[in-house]
């Protein structure tokens, strides 16, 4: 175990607590783990890939020819195994997406129900929104899902841009609008809705304009996040100016979560989309054993010692970085590409 990091048995920390108190403790643990102050004996969060496959091949995505392994759909029994181990060990949150489009999975709503009925506090999903027809929208609202992250990216509409010029809302945007309106009509607070979009610019004004534009179109959304378009090739920096203009901090992914691909392979995060670090496979190993493994401990120690640049993939990643122009500024920078913040629990 990394020296000076306090360890905590996750399953014991929520016993007997009311839901609101459990949520508070979870968020507190998330903050402490992000600062490398505490390491729980099981991940606080798992990214579970229900579908490795995607129905799109966007230009700025690893699905566009960068993934070397075969892709498929997670077996429902394997999903249940993941949730069962997590529930026994105090798992707090799951996001049912890593590299693909999860609404391609035929049992996605059974998966949501199984996770919630097993006691997982926070169940989220990310989608490109292209499959959100009226039936799915209603099922989502009735599913018990806690949060949904909807992508509002122009490249999802590239193939039909000319046809869409005369419309105020593209098909994807119209699906999002209908989803938000129905949620409000039904008086639902869940799932919370985060809209996210990526732009090529890196200046504050461009981010502000894009954010205000999305808010004006979708005022019912709970959160709007604007990111910088990333280069997902493994051997190049995610931003052209990453090493010149950003400081790389110890990554909190190593303290918060793991990613489980559709075939049971476990990766340290979604950025390792070809699983170069090869932690193991949950078909023959426990998630907890992989989380507390010597390899993970070494990764944490490397980041904590300020040697992140020695690790392939990590050295070119944008997560947990801060622009040098913000280094001495008051810490009130908006959540956008000029400062990539530590992720907050549940969002």
């Amino acid at each position: 175990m990394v020296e000076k990091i306090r360890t905590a048995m996750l399953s014991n920390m929520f016993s007997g607590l009311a839901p609101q108190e459990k949520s508070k403790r979870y968020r507190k643990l998330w903050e402490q783990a992000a600062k490398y102050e505490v390491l729980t004996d099981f991940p606080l969060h798992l990214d579970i890939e229900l579908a490795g496959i995607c129905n799109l091949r966007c230009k700025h995505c690893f699905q566009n020819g960068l993934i070397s392994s075969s892709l498929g759909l997670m077996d429902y029994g394997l999903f249940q195994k993941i949730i069962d181990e997590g529930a026994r060990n105090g798992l707090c949150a799951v996001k049912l997406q890593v590299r693909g489009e999860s609404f391609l999975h035929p049992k996605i709503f059974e998966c949501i129900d199984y996770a919630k009925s097993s006691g997982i506090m926070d169940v989220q999903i990310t989608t490109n929104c292209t499959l959100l027809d009226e039936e799915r929208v209603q099922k989502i609202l009735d599913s018990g899902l806690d949060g949904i992250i909807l992508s509002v990216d122009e490249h999802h509409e590239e193939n039909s841009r000319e046809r869409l010029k005369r419309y105020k809302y593209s098909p994807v945007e119209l699906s999002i609008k209908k989803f938000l309106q129905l949620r409000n009509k039904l008086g639902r607070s869940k799932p919370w809705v985060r809209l996210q979009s990526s732009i090529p610019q890196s200046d504050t004004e461009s981010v502000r304009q894009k954010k205000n534009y999305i808010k004006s179109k979708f005022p019912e959304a709970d959160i709007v996040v604007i990111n910088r378009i990333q280069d997902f090739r493994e051997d190049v920096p995610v931003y052209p100016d990453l090493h010149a203009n950003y400081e790389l901090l110890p990554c909190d992914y190593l303290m918060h979560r793991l990613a489980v691909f559709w075939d049971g392979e476990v990766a340290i995060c979604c950025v390792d989309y070809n699983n170069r670090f090869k932690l193991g496979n949950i078909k023959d190993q426990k998630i907890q054993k992989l989380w507390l493994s010597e390899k993970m401990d070494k990764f944490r120690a490397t980041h904590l010692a300020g040697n992140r640049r020695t690790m392939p993939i990590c050295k070119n990643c944008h997560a947990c970085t801060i622009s040098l122009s913000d280094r001495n500024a008051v810490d009130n920078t908006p959540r956008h590409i000029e400062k990539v913040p530590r992720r907050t629990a549940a969002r």
Side-chain angles (χ1 to χ4, degrees):
M1 207 63 62
V2 180
E3 294 182 7
K4 298 182 180 180
I5 298 180
R6 178 170 58 88
T7 58
M9 186 173 291
L10 190 57
S11 59
N12 290 344
M13 304 198 74
F14 302 100
S15 179
L17 295 180
Q20 188 173 4
E21 291 303 313
K22 287 176 68 175
S23 180
K24 287 181 180 179
R25 180 161 293 184
Y26 163 45
R27 293 172 186 277
K28 181 65 174 178
L29 278 172
W30 189 276
E31 293 172 1
Q32 292 173 324
K35 298 174 183 177
Y36 279 65
E37 293 175 355
V38 62
L39 177 66
T40 53
D41 67 333
F42 196 86
L44 287 163
H45 178 112
L46 289 176
D47 294 313
I48 304 174
E49 185 176 80
L50 295 184
I53 58 176
C54 187
N55 60 330
L56 298 178
R57 292 291 181 272
C58 298
K59 179 180 178 181
H60 303 289
C61 182
F62 40 67
Q63 284 281 356
N64 192 14
L66 297 180
I67 299 176
S68 59
S69 61
S70 60
L71 297 171
L73 302 173
M74 179 174 283
D75 179 77
Y76 184 60
L78 182 60
F79 175 80
Q80 290 176 306
K81 180 182 179 181
I82 296 168
I83 296 299
D84 290 346
E85 184 185 350
R88 288 194 303 270
N89 289 282
L91 174 65
C92 297
V94 296
K95 180 163 73 71
L96 304 180
Q97 187 270 342
V98 184
R99 298 174 295 180
E101 174 49 56
S102 293
F103 282 100
L104 293 170
H105 198 287
K107 291 192 174 184
I108 184 170
F109 293 105
E110 288 94 329
C111 290
I112 294 170
D113 180 68
Y114 193 82
K116 290 305 299 180
S117 63
S118 298
I120 307 302
M121 274 190 278
D122 181 30
V123 180
Q124 313 170 19
I125 197 164
T126 298
T127 175
N128 61 33
C129 304
T130 58
L131 301 176
L132 293 187
D133 56 24
E134 290 185 12
E135 181 181 0
R136 284 195 181 92
V137 166
Q138 187 64 60
K139 284 185 175 181
I140 291 169
L141 292 171
D142 294 337
S143 67
L145 188 70
D146 294 288
I148 188 166
I149 302 164
L150 307 175
S151 180
V152 193
D153 276 323
E154 292 179 2
H155 48 259
H156 290 165
E157 307 291 352
E158 284 177 353
N159 293 333
S160 53
R161 188 173 305 283
E162 290 301 318
R163 179 173 58 83
L164 298 171
K165 278 184 176 180
R166 65 181 182 274
Y167 298 109
K168 181 178 180 181
Y169 294 96
S170 71
V172 165
E173 291 177 335
L174 190 59
S175 294
I176 295 172
K177 190 69 176 176
K178 289 181 177 179
F179 180 92
L180 290 166
Q181 288 177 338
L182 182 57
R183 187 189 66 155
N184 279 13
K185 181 180 179 181
L186 295 174
R188 305 281 178 83
S189 60
K190 288 188 177 181
W192 50 256
V193 176
R194 183 176 105 185
L195 302 183
Q196 62 184 25
S197 184
S198 300
I199 60 174
Q201 299 90 343
S202 61
D203 60 284
T204 302
E205 181 59 22
S206 295
V207 171
R208 186 191 66 80
Q209 289 182 6
K210 183 67 173 182
K211 192 169 188 176
N212 288 341
Y213 172 73
I214 292 177
K215 283 183 174 181
S216 69
K217 274 196 164 185
F218 309 102
E220 308 93 341
D222 300 301
I223 309 166
V224 175
V225 175
I226 308 301
N227 299 306
R228 185 175 179 180
I229 289 179
Q230 304 168 27
D231 189 330
F232 280 103
R233 289 176 294 172
E234 293 177 334
D235 56 346
V236 299
V238 69
Y239 306 144
D241 59 339
L242 179 70
H243 295 304
N245 295 330
Y246 291 80
E247 178 184 356
L248 277 60
L249 307 174
C251 184
D252 54 27
Y253 257 100
L254 298 171
M255 302 294 291
H256 286 150
R257 64 214 285 177
L258 289 175
V260 185
F261 293 156
W262 71 275
D263 56 358
E265 288 292 316
V266 179
I268 60 172
C269 71
C270 62
V271 177
D272 188 15
Y273 54 81
N274 278 314
N275 197 18
R276 302 302 188 193
F277 289 128
K278 296 190 181 300
L279 293 180
N281 193 300
I282 60 167
K283 291 179 180 178
D284 51 35
Q285 296 182 70
K286 298 289 187 182
I287 296 172
Q288 186 176 49
K289 184 176 180 179
L290 298 176
W291 177 248
L292 299 176
S293 65
E294 183 178 347
K295 181 176 283 190
M296 282 294 294
D297 202 36
K298 182 179 179 181
F299 292 160
R300 295 179 184 113
T302 299
H303 275 240
L304 192 58
N307 296 322
R308 172 174 163 178
R309 292 176 187 270
T310 65
M311 294 177 62
I313 300 175
C314 294
K315 69 179 181 181
N316 290 323
C317 180
H318 74 292
C320 296
T321 61
I322 183 170
S323 67
L324 297 181
S325 61
D326 288 336
R327 192 68 178 87
N328 299 315
V330 176
D331 191 18
N332 61 357
T333 311
R335 183 175 183 175
H336 60 69
I337 48 80
E338 288 301 313
K339 177 181 177 183
V340 181
R342 297 190 181 277
R343 291 164 290 276
T344 56
R347 299 296 173 91

